[in-house]
C-alpha cells in the first residue's frame, strides 16, 4: 500500500503498473539535428559498438544502453542530448515552425527548449523562462552545448510573465513527478494529496498566464510527469474555465507509435468537460517509459 | 573600464555585426558572411550572438550564446562558439589524432609537433578531430593548452572528476 493506490481505479492493468515501478528505465537520448545528421550520428555510435536503438515512434529518439551516456564524446560535443523518452512528446505536439516566436515558460534544464530550437532550425525566437538562478545555469549550459542559437533566457515568475505575444507556449509545469519513480525510487514515497494541491495553484497560474500570452489561434501545450488528476485534468479544466481562455478547446493528442490513455472524465466528485478525453495519460507499463500527462489547447 | 552599478552591468547593448565579424575574420579567416544571420550584443566584457529576429522588450538573463570574452587580451572565443563558427575557419586551426584529441578533451596540456601546428600562430586556436570541432585551445611554443570547460571534459585516466 502506498500513495499510488489511489489511482487503482483509473490505471488499466493495475498489477502490471505496480510491477513496472521496480524496473529501472534504460537511458534515452535525442539526436541534436542542429549539430549532426541522424545517419552520421547512428554510424558513429555503431562504430563504437554502442547498444543504441532508435524509437519506433520518433526517428530522433534513441534507447541508449550504456553506462555513463552523459560522458560520451557525442554528448559532450552536443551531438546527442540525454532526455527522457516521453519528454520528447510535448515539443512535437507544440509543433513550432521556423521563424515563429515561442515561449517555454518552465524551461530548465532545457531538454524541450533545445528540441524546440532544433525543430525551428535555429530560426525565429524561443524565450526560455526559468525563475531560479541555480536552474538557469543548467539551461544555459545545455543551450550552448547543443548549439541552440535562437534562445533567449528570462527569469520571470511564469504566472506574471509581463508581455507577449507568442505563437505557441509550452508549460512543462513543476509537478510531484510520480512518473519518474523508475528513474529514481523514492519520488512516490514523498507524494501526498496536499503536495499535489499546493502545486495545483501554481500550475493553474502558469497555464492561465500561458493562455493570456498566446495569439488567437495559437497553441498551448501543458505537460507534467505525474499521474495526479489534481495536477493534470483539474489544472486544465480550471484554465479552460478561466475568463482569459474563453473559447479555447482541447485538440486530441495522438502520437503514432505510442499508446495513450485518454484524459479522465471525472475524478472523485469532480466531473470534467467531455473534451478532457483528448488529453493523454501515458502509463509506464504500456509503452515501457516513465509516466506522463499532456494536453494540447488551441486558443480561439 | 570603471566600475559600474550592477544594473548597468546587466544591460545587453547591441553591437555592430560587421565589427564582430571583422574580429573573427582577422584571427580565424572566417568569411564575414557566416555571421550574417545573427545579431550581437555586449554585456560587461562578454559578447553574445543570437539568430536574427526581433526581441520583445523583456529583461534578459542570456541572449543566445556567449561567443567571446574580452576581459583579457587577446580576446578569447568560447568553445561552444567555435563549434558553431569554427568549421569555417581557414587559419589558426589544428587537427589532432586520436590520442591527442583524447588528452585535449580531458582538459590536459600537451606538446604538439610542428606539422600539427603548421597553420597556427600563438594564441587561441580551433581544435578539430575527424572533421569535428572539439573546441578552443591555447597554443604557444609547441604547447597546446586545452580550454574545454570542466563540465564538457572526458573523465581522465586517473579517474578524477567522473561524477
Amino acid at each position: 500500500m502506498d500513495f499510488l493506490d489511489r489511482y487503482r481505479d483509473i490505471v488499466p492493468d493495475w498489477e502490471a503498473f505496480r510491477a513496472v515501478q521496480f524496473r529501472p528505465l534504460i537511458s534515452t537520448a535525442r539526436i541534436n539535428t542542429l549539430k549532426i545528421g541522424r545517419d552520421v550520428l547512428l554510424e558513429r555510435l555503431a562504430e563504437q559498438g554502442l547498444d543504441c536503438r532508435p524509437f519506433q515512434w520518433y526517428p530522433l529518439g534513441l534507447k541508449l544502453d550504456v553506462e555513463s551516456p552523459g560522458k560520451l564524446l557525442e554528448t559532450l560535443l552536443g551531438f546527442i542530448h540525454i532526455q527522457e523518452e516521453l519528454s520528447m512528446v510535448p515539443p512535437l505536439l507544440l509543433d513550432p515552425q521556423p521563424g515563429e516566436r515561442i515561449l517555454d515558460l518552465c524551461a530548465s534544464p532545457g531538454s524541450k527548449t533545445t528540441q524546440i530550437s532544433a525543430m525551428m532550425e535555429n530560426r525565429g525566437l524561443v524565450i526560455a523562462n526559468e525563475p531560479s538562478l541555480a536552474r538557469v545555469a543548467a539551461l544555459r549550459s545545455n543551450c550552448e552545448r547543443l548549439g541552440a542559437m535562437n534562445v533567449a533566457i528570462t527569469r520571470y515568475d511564469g504566472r506574471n510573465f509581463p508581455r507577449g505575444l507568442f505563437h505557441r507556449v509550452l508549460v512543462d509545469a513543476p509537478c510531484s513527478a510520480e512518473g519518474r519513480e523508475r528513474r529514481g525510487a523514492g519520488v512516490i514515497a514523498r507524494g501526498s494529496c496536499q503536495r499535489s494541491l499546493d502545486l495545483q495553484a501554481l500550475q493553474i497560474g502558469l497555464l492561465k498566464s500561458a493562455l493570456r500570452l498566446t495569439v488567437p489561434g495559437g497553441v498551448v501545450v501543458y505537460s507534467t510527469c505525474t499521474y495526479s488528476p489534481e495536477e493534470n485534468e483539474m489544472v486544465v479544466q480550471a484554465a479552460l474555465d478561466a475568463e482569459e481562455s474563453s473559447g479555447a478547446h482541447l485538440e486530441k493528442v495522438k502520437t503514432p507509435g505510442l499508446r495513450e490513455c485518454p484524459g479522465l472524465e471525472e475524478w472523485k466528485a469532480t466531473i470534467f468537460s467531455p473534451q478532457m478525453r483528448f488529453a493523454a495519460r501515458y502509463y509506464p507499463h504500456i509503452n515501457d517509459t516513465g509516466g506522463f500527462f499532456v494536453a494540447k489547447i488551441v486558443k480561439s | 573600464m570603471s566600475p559600474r552599478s550592477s544594473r548597468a552591468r546587466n544591460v545587453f547593448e547591441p553591437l555592430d555585426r560587421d565589427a564582430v565579424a571583422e574580429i573573427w575574420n582577422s584571427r580565424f579567416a572566417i568569411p564575414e558572411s557566416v555571421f550574417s544571420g545573427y545579431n550581437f550584443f555586449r554585456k560587461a566584457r562578454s559578447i553574445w550572438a543570437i539568430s536574427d529576429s526581433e526581441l520583445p522588450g523583456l529583461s534578459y538573463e542570456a541572449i543566445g550564446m556567449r561567443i567571446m570574452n574580452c576581459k583579457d587580451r587577446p580576446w578569447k572565443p568560447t568553445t561552444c562558439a567555435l563549434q558553431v563558427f569554427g568549421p569555417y575557419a581557414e587559419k589558426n586551426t589544428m587537427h589532432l589524432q586520436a590520442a591527442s584529441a583524447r588528452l585535449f578533451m580531458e582538459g590536459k596540456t600537451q606538446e604538439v609537433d610542428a606539422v600539427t601546428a603548421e597553420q597556427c600562430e600563438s594564441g587561441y586556436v580551433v581544435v578539430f578531430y575527424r572533421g569535428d570541432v572539439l573546441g578552443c585551445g591555447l597554443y604557444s611554443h609547441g604547447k597546446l593548452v586545452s580550454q574545454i570547460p570542466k563540465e564538457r571534459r572526458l573523465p581522465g585516466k586517473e579517474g578524477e572528476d567522473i561524477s
Side-chain angles (χ1 to χ4, degrees):
Chain A
M1 278 290 281
D2 62 27
F3 186 59
L4 284 188
D5 279 327
R6 69 193 201 108
Y7 305 134
R8 186 182 281 271
D9 295 336
I10 60 173
V11 178
D13 196 356
W14 179 252
E15 295 309 319
F17 173 75
R18 294 304 331 222
V20 83
Q21 302 294 337
F22 301 103
R23 293 214 329 262
L25 271 177
I26 66 166
S27 295
T28 52
R30 175 173 55 81
I31 302 172
N32 178 29
T33 51
L34 293 174
K35 282 199 159 177
I36 198 164
R38 178 179 185 268
D39 293 346
V40 180
L41 186 274
L42 290 176
E43 211 169 282
R44 281 181 70 127
L45 295 178
E47 229 173 66
Q48 299 170 64
L50 296 173
D51 181 1
C52 84
R53 281 156 292 150
F55 300 165
Q56 300 207 329
W57 64 274
Y58 184 40
L60 298 180
L62 299 174
K63 287 193 194 273
L64 198 55
D65 201 0
V66 303
E67 203 167 319
S68 307
K71 286 295 179 192
L72 288 175
L73 184 61
E74 285 70 18
T75 306
L76 297 172
L77 295 183
F79 297 162
I80 58 173
H81 177 64
I82 308 304
Q83 182 175 351
E84 292 289 326
E85 178 164 355
L86 292 179
S87 148
M88 300 178 207
V89 170
L92 295 178
L93 293 174
L94 194 70
D95 195 22
Q97 302 297 313
E100 284 184 338
R101 185 184 284 184
I102 310 292
L103 174 62
D104 185 354
L105 203 52
C106 318
S108 191
S111 298
K112 299 178 188 74
T113 311
T114 50
Q115 185 179 355
I116 289 167
S117 178
M119 291 173 77
M120 296 167 79
E121 298 162 7
N122 260 341
R123 286 184 280 158
L125 178 66
V126 184
I127 300 290
N129 186 66
E130 172 55 55
S132 153
L133 186 59
R135 286 168 61 80
V136 161
L139 172 62
R140 258 196 66 192
S141 172
N142 281 324
C143 287
E144 295 191 333
R145 180 175 53 88
L146 296 166
M149 297 296 292
N150 64 340
V151 179
I153 299 175
T154 58
R155 281 188 56 213
Y156 294 102
D157 178 330
R159 291 167 292 189
N160 302 311
F161 193 91
R163 56 188 72 85
L165 287 166
F166 296 90
H167 296 103
R168 300 162 204 268
V169 182
L170 174 62
V171 184
D172 185 47
C175 72
S176 56
E178 294 160 356
R180 288 183 56 83
E181 181 74 8
R182 296 180 69 190
R183 270 266 165 249
V187 174
I188 285 164
R190 290 192 294 276
S192 75
C193 200
Q194 189 53 49
R195 181 163 149 72
S196 286
L197 288 172
D198 290 346
L199 285 161
Q200 183 189 75
L202 169 63
Q203 291 155 339
I204 291 172
L206 290 168
L207 188 50
K208 280 163 74 169
S209 173
L211 283 158
R212 171 174 59 81
L213 295 162
T214 306
V215 298
V219 172
V220 175
V221 169
Y222 176 79
S223 61
T224 71
C225 55
T226 201
Y227 310 110
S228 165
E230 288 83 358
E231 299 178 57
N232 293 327
E233 286 87 350
M234 285 171 89
V235 172
V236 173
Q237 187 68 56
L240 287 177
D241 291 344
E243 202 181 327
E244 51 268 61
S245 51
S246 65
H249 63 277
L250 291 188
E251 205 171 276
K252 189 170 172 58
V253 173
K254 183 79 202 92
T255 305
L258 278 177
R259 287 174 58 200
E260 292 92 2
C261 293
L264 302 181
E265 292 181 35
E266 60 180 301
W267 173 248
K268 310 275 187 200
T270 311
I271 307 288
F272 301 120
S273 152
Q275 56 173 332
M276 202 62 76
R277 67 180 190 281
F278 293 153
R281 295 182 148 259
Y282 294 95
Y283 294 113
H285 56 305
I286 294 182
N287 298 293
D288 193 20
T289 57
F292 216 75
F293 173 88
V294 63
K296 178 175 182 173
I297 305 169
V298 179
K299 190 168 164 178
S300 47
Chain B
M1 193 181 285
S2 63
R4 293 189 288 176
S5 72
S6 61
R7 188 182 158 79
R9 278 201 306 274
N10 268 322
V11 168
F12 284 91
E13 300 162 36
L15 272 184
D16 180 41
R17 179 186 297 148
D18 293 343
V20 178
E22 196 187 313
I23 296 173
W24 282 70
N25 180 268
S26 101
R27 175 71 196 173
F28 297 112
I30 295 173
E32 299 190 8
S33 61
V34 167
F35 298 90
S36 63
Y38 302 95
N39 293 323
F40 297 89
F41 293 84
R42 181 195 187 105
K43 179 177 162 182
R45 301 293 183 87
S46 293
I47 293 175
W48 301 62
I50 187 164
S51 299
D52 185 14
S53 97
E54 194 192 329
L55 283 173
L58 297 167
S59 168
Y60 291 101
E61 185 71 23
I63 296 186
M65 173 186 280
R66 204 170 67 92
I67 61 162
M68 57 198 280
N69 187 343
C70 305
K71 196 170 72 187
D72 304 306
R73 283 179 193 282
W75 63 274
K76 179 181 179 180
T78 62
T79 274
C80 55
L82 288 185
Q83 288 173 355
V84 175
F85 302 118
Y88 304 97
E90 282 169 17
K91 69 173 186 185
N92 289 311
T93 61
M94 192 180 282
H95 295 260
L96 300 182
Q97 300 299 314
S100 321
R102 164 112 214 159
L103 282 176
F104 181 81
M105 286 307 294
E106 288 173 7
K108 307 266 168 61
T109 297
Q110 59 187 307
E111 310 253 331
V112 288
D113 59 44
V115 177
T116 305
E118 202 176 12
Q119 295 181 326
C120 300
E121 307 150 351
S122 284
Y124 294 111
V125 296
V126 191
V127 176
F128 288 80
Y129 172 57
R130 295 204 337 180
D132 298 320
V133 174
L134 297 181
C136 179
L138 177 59
Y139 172 72
S140 83
H141 300 102
K143 272 198 181 144
L144 176 66
V145 186
S146 171
Q147 306 292 307
I148 297 288
K150 283 197 182 65
E151 71 275 14
R152 304 279 150 71
R153 291 181 191 167
L154 283 173
K157 285 268 156 40
E158 297 81 1
E160 82 272 27
D161 192 29
I162 288 184
S163 59

